[in-house]
Amino acid sequence: MHQQSGDASLLRRLNSAAILGILRNTDVATLAELARAARVSRPTVEAIVEELLVEGWVEEYTEEYGGGRRGRPAKRFRFRTSARKVVGLSVGAYRLHAMTADLGGTIIATRRVAVFQEMTPGERIDEIARLVGQCAAEAGVEIRDLAAVAVGTTGVVDGQGRVVKSNVLPNWAGVPLQAELSARLSVPVLVENDMRLAVLAEHWRGVAEGCSDVVYLFTGNRLSLGLLIGGTPYRGAHSASGEIGEPAKGLWLAFGHVTEYAMSVEPGELRSPAQAAEFAFARAREGEERAAKAVEDFATTLAEGLATVVNPLDPEMVVIGGSLAPGGELLVEPIQRYLDRVCVYPPRVLASRFGAESIVVGAVKAALNHAETTLFRKGS
């Protein structure tokens, strides 16, 4: 928003931010309604709205008003969700995934870029910055015109967006990712742990919408948790909430049933844990009894681990996400049965509709939240 100097301009910016925030959270409003809501005079509102119209933040709502009143209807205005764009991005060992959205949360573009696990931190950051630039160009704006960028990454991420620990990406621990990207992009940047963004996505537009307390299990070639407590992703004392750590026998303990099944059927085929699970899913859907048993045992093993979290936290819902979420009821039903048996108050178990995209969707929501703070609450 346009800025002037002096105390009067500060008050003007605060009033502008207040009016923009009101329009942001309502469908349409007249000048009189804005004046009442913001508790300022109508001439002040009129001048501010005129400025916001020129700057592109607000538009006049011109659809026919069916109020039944005679005479000329009062002008009505609404927030332009297309005024700015945000970018949400997930960082993986082998892929960067970005989504561009307007300020109403409508996804307008998606991009994926292949990367390598062995990349240096600098090379990975370069690719992230390059992808943000491509997203901005595709949206028809300069990088500096983005309202916010949010990035979800594996590892323990502290409150300043620094990767404290990471077992997935080489030399990623210690990288001040938020500071590095902020310097390169010159826009508001937020960096967060990927599992906190995943559970945020489910709470925003996923199967956990409307729930306040949720356990999110990410499944794939790694297992991790996201916790939503009181409607907010939980960080923990050391920002390490959801980090399961390395099991005593690695992923074999969890994936042993499906891995053994896949190896017995095709001994010469080497598969990752997730690929072995997907192979067993496909055979189970075809009616193969051994595959169905392997999948059920795999799901029960996951449920045993979940029970240790569910009983003390008492969530409303458990969401099965990640690349194995398309397993659907093959995973959900055995997990639900087990939790029904061992939990004091069994939560509902559902598979994520987002699958592996939950992280980038959550990054979009985090970027929108960050933009809300910088644009509407500070009068900037």
Side-chain angles (χ1 to χ4, degrees):
M1 285 178 285
H2 180 67
Q3 295 191 16
Q4 305 167 7
S5 60
D7 293 341
S9 71
L10 174 61
L11 181 60
R12 176 65 167 262
R13 292 200 304 274
L14 292 172
N15 286 335
S16 293
I19 290 169
L20 192 59
I22 293 165
L23 285 168
R24 176 79 171 85
N25 293 300
T26 190
D27 291 332
V28 293
T30 65
L31 293 175
E33 290 167 342
L34 289 171
R36 285 195 298 271
R39 297 183 179 181
V40 296
S41 68
R42 181 183 169 114
T44 297
V45 170
E46 197 164 356
I48 289 173
V49 168
E50 184 62 34
E51 183 178 276
L52 294 174
L53 282 166
V54 171
E55 293 177 351
W57 289 103
V58 170
E59 63 187 0
E60 187 174 351
Y61 187 68
T62 57
E63 289 189 19
E64 195 69 29
Y65 179 62
R69 295 181 180 178
R70 293 184 177 182
R72 185 179 178 182
K75 289 183 178 180
R76 294 182 296 162
F77 303 90
R78 66 180 178 186
F79 178 75
R80 282 187 70 233
T81 58
S82 61
R84 297 284 282 277
K85 307 295 189 299
V86 300
V87 173
L89 193 147
S90 67
V91 179
Y94 303 102
R95 187 181 70 172
L96 304 178
H97 186 184
M99 287 183 176
T100 309
D102 65 18
L103 293 179
T106 299
I107 307 299
I108 58 178
T110 298
R111 277 183 171 266
R112 296 175 178 85
V113 173
V115 291
F116 305 98
Q117 188 173 24
E118 298 76 16
M119 276 181 162
T120 66
E123 290 170 338
R124 197 174 299 273
I125 293 171
D126 286 341
E127 286 298 322
I128 294 170
R130 187 175 297 113
L131 181 55
V132 172
Q134 292 171 350
C135 290
E138 190 171 8
V141 299
E142 300 290 332
I143 293 178
R144 64 176 179 271
D145 294 324
L146 293 172
V149 173
V151 178
T153 179
T154 179
V156 177
V157 180
D158 67 15
Q160 287 70 51
R162 182 172 67 96
V163 182
V164 180
K165 295 183 178 182
S166 177
N167 296 324
V168 177
L169 300 179
N171 303 312
W172 201 233
V175 173
L177 186 56
Q178 186 166 299
E180 289 280 351
L181 289 173
S182 295
R184 297 186 191 211
L185 300 176
S186 299
V187 297
V189 175
L190 176 72
V191 173
E192 184 55 281
N193 167 264
D194 52 4
M195 293 301 101
R196 285 194 282 274
L197 295 183
V199 76
L200 178 64
E202 297 297 339
H203 180 57
W204 179 38
R205 287 182 172 174
V207 295
E209 188 175 355
C211 295
S212 296
D213 299 284
V214 178
V215 171
Y216 172 90
L217 175 66
F218 180 87
T219 60
N221 286 320
R222 63 185 174 105
L223 298 174
S224 197
L225 293 174
L227 305 177
L228 188 81
I229 299 177
T232 302
Y234 181 65
R235 299 188 64 84
H238 303 92
S239 301
S241 170
E243 294 296 321
I244 295 176
E246 183 65 24
K249 297 182 180 179
L251 289 176
W252 178 262
L253 187 64
F255 286 84
H257 298 289
V258 289
T259 301
E260 287 178 351
Y261 169 75
M263 291 177 65
S264 69
V265 174
E266 295 183 354
E269 190 71 27
L270 293 178
R271 291 183 172 88
S272 69
Q275 289 170 337
E278 290 166 348
F279 177 76
F281 291 166
R283 291 297 189 96
R285 288 195 177 97
E286 293 171 358
E288 215 274 277
E289 291 185 5
R290 287 181 56 230
K293 180 65 166 60
V295 171
E296 182 175 1
D297 290 344
F298 168 58
T300 301
T301 301
L302 295 179
E304 290 169 350
L306 283 167
T308 64
V309 178
V310 167
N311 269 325
L313 289 183
D314 186 28
E316 303 161 73
M317 182 178 290
V318 169
V319 178
I320 309 301
S323 63
L324 299 184
E329 292 305 309
L330 290 173
L331 288 177
V332 167
E333 288 185 1
I335 293 174
Q336 185 72 71
R337 282 198 305 272
Y338 184 87
L339 296 183
D340 286 346
R341 181 165 58 86
V342 304
C343 293
V344 179
Y345 293 99
R348 188 180 179 192
V349 181
L350 292 175
S352 171
R353 296 191 299 264
F354 296 133
E357 292 190 347
S358 57
I359 299 167
V360 70
V361 172
V364 168
K365 176 56 175 170
L368 290 169
N369 291 346
H370 202 46
E372 183 96 14
T373 301
T374 57
L375 293 175
F376 310 135
R377 297 180 189 173
K378 294 183 179 179
S380 57

